[in-house]
Amino acid sequence: MRTWKTVAEEKRKQIGESIPAKWRVKDITAAMLKDGYTNTKEYIDSLLSRQELAITNMTATELSQRIAGGELSSWDVCYAFCHRAALAHQILNCCVEIFFDQALQRAKELDDYLSTHGTTVGSLHGVPISLKDQVNLPGIDTTIGYVGYVGQEVKTKSLLAQVLEDKGAVFYVKTAVPMAMMAPETQSNLLGTTLNSINIAFSSGGSSGGEGALIGAHGSILGVGTDIGGSIRIPASFQGLYGLRPSHGRIPYMGIANSYKGQEVIPSVIGPLATSLEDIVLFTKSVIESNTWERDPKVVPIPWRDTSYLKHQTLRFAVMWWDGSIMVHPPISRALQMVVRAVEKGSHEVIDWNFEHHADVLDLATETFSADHGQEIKDICALSGEPVADCVKSLVDYNPMERPISVEKWWKIGERKSELREKFLSYWAHTSTKTTDGKPIDALICPVWPTAGFKKNDGKCIALNYTTPFNVIDCASVVFPVTTVDKNIDKVDNEYIPVSELDKKLKNYYDPNEFDKMPVCVQIVCPKFEEEKVLEISSIIKDLLA
Amino acid sequence: MRTWKTVAEEKRKQIGESIPAKWRVKDITAAMLKDGYTNTKEYIDSLLSRQELAITNMTATELSQRIAGGELSSWDVCYAFCHRAALAHQILNCCVEIFFDQALQRAKELDDYLSTHGTTVGSLHGVPISLKDQVNLPGIDTTIGYVGYVGQEVKTKSLLAQVLEDKGAVFYVKTAVPMAMMAPETQSNLLGTTLNSINIAFSSGGSSGGEGALIGAHGSILGVGTDIGGSIRIPASFQGLYGLRPSHGRIPYMGIANSYKGQEVIPSVIGPLATSLEDIVLFTKSVIESNTWERDPKVVPIPWRDTSYLKHQTLRFAVMWWDGSIMVHPPISRALQMVVRAVEKGSHEVIDWNFEHHADVLDLATETFSADHGQEIKDICALSGEPVADCVKSLVDYNPMERPISVEKWWKIGERKSELREKFLSYWAHTSTKTTDGKPIDALICPVWPTAGFKKNDGKCIALNYTTPFNVIDCASVVFPVTTVDKNIDKVDNEYIPVSELDKKLKNYYDPNEFDKMPVCVQIVCPKFEEEKVLEISSIIKDLLA
């Protein structure tokens, strides 16, 4: 009899076999550790040919230019990323679908097109893009972390995939997600756990953890994630990457597989993770310029707007050092200080942020995500007989005897959400009373996560305090790398007195030796639909930090 | 003991007493009928002074220009509309709050401002605007058709009211709504029934029926309504007015009282009704140019866009003659023919519209609006002990033994809605295969209501087939007057064989003598957020019809 375990084993075997034999490395992790590496990016750098190394360390922007200019072929680029992704997966367990042949065939077609027409098909001509396993591609499974979805035929292509392909993108892998995509780590009965590419003792983060791990190892340099409570920003942060959480309605979600599809109070959004900010811009601009509002009714017809004028302005920022509930670890504080100092050095103003409804916003998210008391997860698990994965147990066990709430209660949640968004916007506008020139702030500087990651399968130290609020409020938000943990600088703060049990647990979780060298990202937040502005400001800050 | 009846009686008495004694007319309806009038607009025209008559027959655009130019004072304009509204209310029962003193005081302040500063406060300087009784003004009741809400203190002002006031608008009345605003007629235990200003034997329509009646009688020329299933378009149509159902997120709804506040699957929207298209544009442009997205998180930052280039283009239209379920009455068919003929004469193209999911869209709306099985209505009725009003009984009795549905079922409704919107947009795009130049249609021409109104308290002949679908899909839609019923032309169609019981009932409801002279409007529909385009196209059609 085919049990869920058999199905999962077969799937993992099939993933392994989809890697060409020449790229399979027996006991690769042991070899890596033996060679003294815990950082997968660095280890793979040591394994590749010079050309592969050069290609996989460029940005998508550079690659697309070199391909367009005839310096590189799409095929060579694709080949290098396939090789690198194959190695990364064998260490990190980050891919759930591998289709290199299809990708190389597509790359060849793009090369032929370019040589025949003398022009590219679009801004992403030959750029390999990895896709979180929610993006549908016909003929390829979309399992979103469930054994029960293995082998269910996918017939239609997600609109975003179509748009990226129309611009010339090459797809070659789909990446791992936790069951239901409702966890900040990446673990499922189907695939197991995805590891952190900077330090394999750590979690990749989640739910776009496959993307985070793969991109962190440069098995991809530009990928598509989704974010309902931090799922783009958390893995981006844990791997020291750039990530954009776009506002709902800016990037098309049509035809993307998802949990709780009709749940519209806090919708999941889709956006890019990348090794560079310029690639985040390349992706976002390319997609927005595709006018997808003509096809996806949820996309708002706001064209891409030029924000370069911001470079010549004095800007106003607020900084949230912490939220009053969960103190951030010393390296996170230091990263915030670095950003604030850089910004002030650039003659911009920084005031403090004290939005008093932060805890209400978080509570509302918890209520929203557990409104069906795990019913959908249980139902889909029942398809295969698999147990609920550890990483989403808290959602199912939130109140296990409860049935899904009534629509009346749901409407109250929706109403409270709207009120909180109004309060947020009002608070934002009200910052004008605190700035020197009487204008409201341009952006908020804040942590992404209270720590620089957590150990693999270590769900006890989870606090969504700095990501989920911006899903509830629906802000445009960018995360970017600022520094790495330095055990010699980032000492334990013995003076801080925790304000809650979780806060205490988090405090005690910090060990400078364990966290040493882990990347630290900071988050920049703008109000809804200000994607261009938050990207421009991130670029300004990046330059000031350099 | 104060029963709900006492409270309602006192409220009606108070409304009556808020009309200055000099404007109270005893047995006005009897006098009107005795003078041979059934049309309130025409009757009031016969009662007013020459100046009042002139003022109340101008558009808001003209009035604002004359006030700005010093030809008219805000006070004179306000006075004329107060007088006219007072008369209209006594015949039609269309106002639920009357505050002329406040209005005249405000008008005086505006006159003072203009004479002091030599400039207006904004584009609506001195323009009287009537407000549906969902708009909150501090110190004035917002009862939304419930006795239980009488005397509940209103403390904050709706954002839209603030924005209109900032532009110079003068508020003087709030207008009647049916209980919960969930009916296409206007009836409540609080106020009774609102009559049609074109023929007092007919219903004003609803739920913005107070607006429709008042504006139809020129007791206002520009007012604010809301629309969740046709509530702006139905009363506009029944009174031969212009109305815009804006897309959700274009005009601020923040701080507006409403039923089912957290119900986000088919949200209510707010927009203008007016005696002219130019005033609909004036209103919409003025509001959009107020950048309310900085204050209302539900408003999308799409600035007002110029669409005058459309005037010089060949346009493509589709026409929906009927939806296959409910045949329209002969005058409605004739109005559609008039529009199609005019458009074709203008060298534009017209193809047929056959969206096959029309019935699914309607079913979805019914499920959405009855998802709580009337629980909220029952709960609010319980505040005062009043019974459920006749006009919303069907919502409460939809399945009276049922409790509100679960959030799981609600999410399925939300998911189906999104699928239907995708299908609609896809069908729209697909019209490119039917047009001569291979471009999709610019707008859809369709009925507003299968009949030219219905008799007062005659809820048996209700079919939302031509309004509610565009709430489910969330389109920008304009209704405008095309013709009036002519008993000599619009004969009963004896050949049509009804396709259902309701269709048969509707067919039999048509009596050319009864409907004679009733106005007939047609609806123009564009996709979401195309307010500027649907208004421009309506203007083009209006010119072609002239």
Side-chain angles (χ1 to χ4, degrees):
Chain A
M1 206 192 90
R2 283 181 93 224
T3 64
W4 70 265
K5 284 190 185 174
T6 329
V7 175
E9 269 162 32
E10 283 170 9
K11 182 77 187 177
R12 287 193 294 267
K13 191 161 167 264
Q14 180 204 314
I15 298 169
E17 286 169 357
S18 64
I19 296 175
K22 61 183 169 186
W23 289 342
R24 289 182 215 157
V25 183
K26 222 183 151 212
D27 299 327
I28 187 169
T29 308
M32 167 177 163
L33 292 171
K34 201 174 150 234
D35 284 357
Y37 289 99
T38 49
N39 181 317
T40 303
K41 154 82 166 74
E42 291 172 3
Y43 179 59
I44 300 180
D45 274 351
S46 77
L47 301 180
L48 296 181
S49 74
R50 216 160 68 182
Q51 188 184 3
E52 286 171 340
L53 187 64
I55 287 171
T56 57
N57 278 293
M58 284 182 205
T59 66
T61 306
E62 276 178 272
L63 286 170
S64 68
Q65 284 160 359
R66 295 202 183 204
I67 291 168
E71 288 169 65
L72 281 173
S73 72
S74 298
W75 196 91
D76 282 342
V77 169
C78 183
Y79 189 87
F81 279 99
C82 288
H83 186 192
R84 188 147 195 153
L87 296 172
H89 173 68
Q90 292 174 78
I91 301 166
L92 301 170
N93 198 29
C94 54
C95 295
V96 68
E97 301 292 335
I98 291 175
F99 38 98
F100 296 155
D101 289 348
Q102 230 173 281
L104 288 164
Q105 175 62 29
R106 157 90 172 147
K108 193 182 167 305
E109 287 162 14
L110 288 166
D111 284 334
D112 292 348
Y113 184 96
L114 182 60
S115 74
T116 308
H117 296 83
T119 175
T120 65
V121 304
S123 55
L124 300 170
H125 188 104
V127 172
I129 293 185
S130 48
L131 303 171
K132 185 176 186 176
D133 185 36
Q134 291 179 252
V135 180
N136 283 313
L137 298 176
I140 296 173
D141 275 4
T142 299
T143 45
I144 60 170
Y146 288 106
V147 177
Y149 283 162
V150 171
Q152 287 207 356
E153 198 185 350
V154 171
K155 287 185 183 167
T156 55
K157 196 180 285 182
S158 298
L159 175 58
L160 180 60
Q162 186 61 59
V163 160
L164 295 172
E165 240 174 24
D166 290 347
K167 296 273 179 188
V170 177
F171 305 135
Y172 58 120
V173 287
K174 293 214 301 178
T175 57
V177 302
M179 176 178 279
M181 287 89 56
M182 292 303 287
E185 56 190 317
T186 297
Q187 179 257 329
S188 67
N189 299 317
L190 185 61
L191 198 68
T193 298
T194 302
L195 307 181
N196 188 296
S197 48
I198 308 305
N199 182 340
I200 54 170
F202 278 74
S203 164
S204 65
S207 70
S208 311
E211 282 302 316
L214 183 69
I215 301 174
H218 281 231
S220 165
I221 35 149
L222 177 57
V224 174
T226 66
D227 194 316
I228 195 171
S231 286
I232 287 174
R233 293 163 288 162
I234 296 161
S237 182
F238 288 8
Q239 257 96 191
L241 304 171
Y242 296 83
L244 169 70
R245 184 235 173 251
S247 315
H248 177 62
R250 206 72 207 274
I251 304 289
Y253 212 101
M254 193 169 114
I256 303 287
N258 200 8
S259 298
Y260 319 128
K261 274 194 160 183
Q263 188 281 92
E264 297 187 328
V265 166
I266 307 178
S268 170
V269 298
I270 194 158
L273 296 86
T275 56
S276 68
L277 188 57
E278 65 179 7
D279 289 353
I280 299 283
V281 173
L282 173 70
F283 175 98
T284 310
K285 191 162 180 271
S286 296
V287 174
I288 290 176
E289 288 181 347
S290 297
N291 297 1
T292 54
W293 49 81
E294 290 168 5
R295 286 174 277 177
D296 182 345
K298 289 187 177 168
V299 178
V300 172
I302 303 177
W304 179 263
R305 295 160 297 188
D306 178 52
T307 47
S308 54
Y309 66 90
L310 289 167
K311 283 202 189 82
H312 316 292
Q313 291 193 347
T314 300
L315 303 170
R316 302 139 217 93
F317 294 90
V319 59
M320 174 165 61
W321 296 103
W322 73 303
D323 75 337
S325 294
I326 299 292
M327 178 47 74
V328 299
H329 278 184
I332 314 293
S333 291
R334 183 167 59 83
L336 290 169
Q337 282 160 19
M338 286 172 69
V339 171
V340 167
R341 219 172 294 136
V343 157
E344 286 178 337
K345 217 177 116 194
S347 299
H348 305 295
E349 185 176 8
V350 184
I351 63 171
D352 281 336
W353 178 265
N354 287 303
F355 181 56
E356 63 177 343
H357 303 287
H358 205 87
D360 299 340
V361 172
L362 266 172
D363 286 349
L364 189 105
T366 307
E367 285 178 57
T368 303
F369 298 147
S370 56
D372 83 335
H373 292 98
Q375 193 61 48
E376 183 178 297
I377 291 175
K378 285 187 274 188
D379 289 348
I380 305 177
C381 282
L383 293 177
S384 68
E386 69 176 317
V388 172
D390 287 343
C391 65
V392 289
K393 269 205 173 129
S394 65
L395 275 178
V396 178
D397 295 341
Y398 176 68
N399 207 340
M401 302 307 291
E402 288 286 339
R403 300 282 312 142
I405 64 168
S406 78
V407 71
E408 272 185 299
K409 286 189 185 163
W410 181 252
W411 289 346
K412 290 288 169 215
I413 292 177
E415 188 181 340
R416 274 169 49 213
K417 176 203 66 176
S418 295
E419 287 165 2
L420 287 167
R421 288 185 178 181
E422 290 172 10
K423 284 175 181 160
F424 182 90
L425 212 49
S426 165
Y427 180 81
W428 190 287
H430 201 69
T431 57
S432 64
T433 60
K434 296 189 202 164
T435 58
T436 313
D437 63 1
K439 289 185 182 169
I441 55 164
D442 294 288
L444 168 64
I445 300 163
C446 64
V448 187
W449 193 262
T451 76
F454 54 84
K455 303 296 184 58
K456 65 182 175 188
N457 298 328
D458 207 357
K460 71 174 185 288
C461 282
I462 281 174
L464 295 151
N465 295 46
Y466 300 100
T467 52
T468 305
F470 306 111
N471 297 85
V472 177
I473 306 298
D474 196 6
C475 294
S477 148
V478 164
V479 303
F480 61 85
V482 171
T483 186
T484 53
V485 179
D486 185 333
K487 64 181 175 186
N488 299 315
I489 303 174
D490 302 314
K491 306 288 187 190
V492 172
D493 176 5
N494 287 311
E495 287 181 18
Y496 175 68
I497 300 159
V499 298
S500 70
E501 270 311 299
L502 180 60
D503 191 34
K504 189 175 167 188
K505 216 188 273 180
L506 263 291
K507 182 189 168 180
N508 294 336
Y509 197 63
Y510 182 56
D511 177 336
N513 290 309
E514 284 186 345
F515 278 89
D516 193 40
K517 297 197 179 72
M518 286 301 286
V520 182
C521 284
V522 160
Q523 183 171 210
I524 305 297
V525 178
C526 280
K528 187 164 183 169
F529 292 130
E530 295 193 0
E531 281 66 33
E532 297 89 336
K533 184 169 182 179
V534 78
L535 287 166
E536 189 79 47
I537 287 177
S538 300
S539 166
I540 292 169
I541 295 177
K542 187 172 155 278
D543 290 347
L544 287 168
L545 280 166
Chain B
M1 206 192 89
R2 283 182 93 224
T3 65
W4 70 265
K5 284 190 184 174
T6 330
V7 175
E9 269 162 33
E10 282 170 10
K11 181 77 188 176
R12 287 192 294 268
K13 190 161 169 263
Q14 179 205 314
I15 298 168
E17 286 170 357
S18 63
I19 296 174
K22 61 184 169 187
W23 290 341
R24 289 182 216 158
V25 184
K26 222 182 151 214
D27 299 327
I28 187 169
T29 307
M32 168 178 162
L33 293 170
K34 199 174 154 236
D35 283 358
Y37 289 99
T38 50
N39 181 318
T40 303
K41 154 83 168 73
E42 291 172 3
Y43 178 58
I44 299 180
D45 274 351
S46 77
L47 300 181
L48 296 182
S49 75
R50 213 159 70 180
Q51 187 184 3
E52 286 170 340
L53 188 62
I55 287 172
T56 57
N57 278 294
M58 284 184 204
T59 66
T61 307
E62 277 177 274
L63 286 170
S64 67
Q65 285 160 359
R66 296 201 183 205
I67 292 169
E71 290 170 64
L72 282 173
S73 72
S74 298
W75 195 93
D76 283 342
V77 169
C78 183
Y79 188 89
F81 279 100
C82 288
H83 187 193
R84 189 147 195 154
L87 296 171
H89 173 68
Q90 291 174 79
I91 301 165
L92 302 169
N93 199 28
C94 53
C95 295
V96 68
E97 302 293 335
I98 291 175
F99 39 98
F100 296 155
D101 288 347
Q102 230 173 283
L104 289 163
Q105 175 62 28
R106 157 91 172 148
K108 192 182 169 303
E109 285 162 15
L110 288 165
D111 285 333
D112 291 348
Y113 184 96
L114 182 59
S115 74
T116 308
H117 296 83
T119 175
T120 65
V121 303
S123 54
L124 301 170
H125 189 105
V127 172
I129 294 185
S130 49
L131 302 171
K132 185 175 185 178
D133 184 36
Q134 291 178 252
V135 180
N136 282 314
L137 299 176
I140 295 172
D141 274 4
T142 299
T143 44
I144 61 170
Y146 288 106
V147 177
Y149 283 162
V150 170
Q152 287 208 354
E153 198 185 351
V154 171
K155 286 183 182 169
T156 56
K157 196 181 283 183
S158 299
L159 175 58
L160 180 60
Q162 187 60 59
V163 159
L164 294 171
E165 240 175 23
D166 289 347
K167 295 273 180 190
V170 177
F171 305 134
Y172 57 121
V173 287
K174 294 214 299 178
T175 57
V177 303
M179 176 178 279
M181 286 88 56
M182 293 303 288
E185 56 190 317
T186 298
Q187 179 257 328
S188 67
N189 299 317
L190 184 63
L191 199 68
T193 298
T194 301
L195 306 181
N196 189 296
S197 47
I198 308 304
N199 183 339
I200 55 170
F202 279 74
S203 164
S204 64
S207 68
S208 313
E211 283 301 317
L214 182 69
I215 301 174
H218 282 229
S220 165
I221 34 149
L222 177 57
V224 174
T226 67
D227 195 316
I228 195 171
S231 288
I232 287 173
R233 292 163 289 162
I234 297 161
S237 182
F238 289 7
Q239 257 97 191
L241 303 173
Y242 296 84
L244 169 70
R245 184 235 173 250
S247 315
H248 177 61
R250 206 72 207 276
I251 305 289
Y253 212 101
M254 193 169 113
I256 303 288
N258 200 7
S259 298
Y260 319 126
K261 274 194 159 183
Q263 189 281 92
E264 296 187 327
V265 166
I266 307 177
S268 170
V269 297
I270 194 157
L273 295 88
T275 57
S276 69
L277 189 57
E278 65 178 7
D279 288 353
I280 299 282
V281 173
L282 173 69
F283 176 97
T284 310
K285 191 163 182 273
S286 296
V287 174
I288 290 177
E289 289 182 345
S290 298
N291 298 1
T292 54
W293 50 81
E294 291 168 6
R295 285 174 278 177
D296 182 345
K298 289 188 177 167
V299 177
V300 172
I302 302 177
W304 179 263
R305 295 160 299 187
D306 177 53
T307 47
S308 54
Y309 66 91
L310 289 167
K311 284 203 188 82
H312 315 293
Q313 291 193 348
T314 300
L315 302 170
R316 303 141 215 92
F317 293 89
V319 59
M320 173 165 63
W321 297 104
W322 72 305
D323 74 338
S325 295
I326 298 292
M327 179 48 75
V328 299
H329 278 184
I332 314 291
S333 291
R334 182 168 60 82
L336 290 170
Q337 283 160 19
M338 287 171 69
V339 171
V340 168
R341 218 173 294 138
V343 158
E344 286 178 337
K345 217 176 115 194
S347 300
H348 305 295
E349 185 176 8
V350 184
I351 63 171
D352 280 337
W353 177 265
N354 287 303
F355 181 56
E356 63 177 343
H357 303 286
H358 206 87
D360 299 339
V361 172
L362 266 173
D363 287 347
L364 189 104
T366 307
E367 286 178 57
T368 303
F369 298 147
S370 55
D372 83 335
H373 292 98
Q375 193 61 49
E376 183 178 297
I377 292 174
K378 285 187 275 188
D379 289 347
I380 305 176
C381 282
L383 292 178
S384 69
E386 70 177 317
V388 172
D390 287 343
C391 64
V392 289
K393 269 208 173 125
S394 65
L395 275 179
V396 178
D397 294 343
Y398 177 66
N399 207 340
M401 300 307 291
E402 288 286 339
R403 301 281 311 142
I405 65 169
S406 78
V407 70
E408 273 185 298
K409 287 189 185 164
W410 181 252
W411 290 346
K412 290 288 168 216
I413 292 177
E415 189 181 338
R416 274 169 50 215
K417 176 204 67 177
S418 295
E419 286 165 4
L420 288 166
R421 288 185 179 181
E422 290 172 8
K423 284 174 181 161
F424 182 91
L425 213 49
S426 166
Y427 181 81
W428 191 286
H430 200 70
T431 56
S432 64
T433 62
K434 296 190 201 162
T435 58
T436 313
D437 64 1
K439 289 186 182 170
I441 57 164
D442 295 288
L444 168 64
I445 299 163
C446 63
V448 187
W449 192 262
T451 76
F454 55 83
K455 303 296 184 58
K456 65 181 175 189
N457 299 328
D458 208 357
K460 70 175 187 288
C461 282
I462 282 174
L464 295 151
N465 295 46
Y466 301 100
T467 51
T468 305
F470 305 112
N471 296 85
V472 177
I473 306 298
D474 196 8
C475 294
S477 148
V478 164
V479 303
F480 60 85
V482 170
T483 185
T484 53
V485 179
D486 184 332
K487 63 182 175 186
N488 298 316
I489 303 174
D490 302 313
K491 306 285 187 190
V492 171
D493 176 6
N494 287 312
E495 288 182 17
Y496 175 68
I497 299 159
V499 297
S500 70
E501 270 312 299
L502 180 60
D503 190 35
K504 189 174 168 189
K505 215 187 274 181
L506 264 291
K507 181 188 170 179
N508 295 337
Y509 197 64
Y510 183 56
D511 177 335
N513 290 310
E514 283 187 344
F515 277 90
D516 193 40
K517 297 199 179 67
M518 286 300 285
V520 181
C521 284
V522 160
Q523 182 172 212
I524 306 296
V525 178
C526 281
K528 187 166 183 167
F529 292 129
E530 294 192 1
E531 281 67 32
E532 297 89 337
K533 184 169 182 178
V534 78
L535 288 166
E536 188 79 48
I537 287 177
S538 300
S539 166
I540 292 169
I541 295 176
K542 188 173 155 274
D543 289 348
L544 287 167
L545 280 166

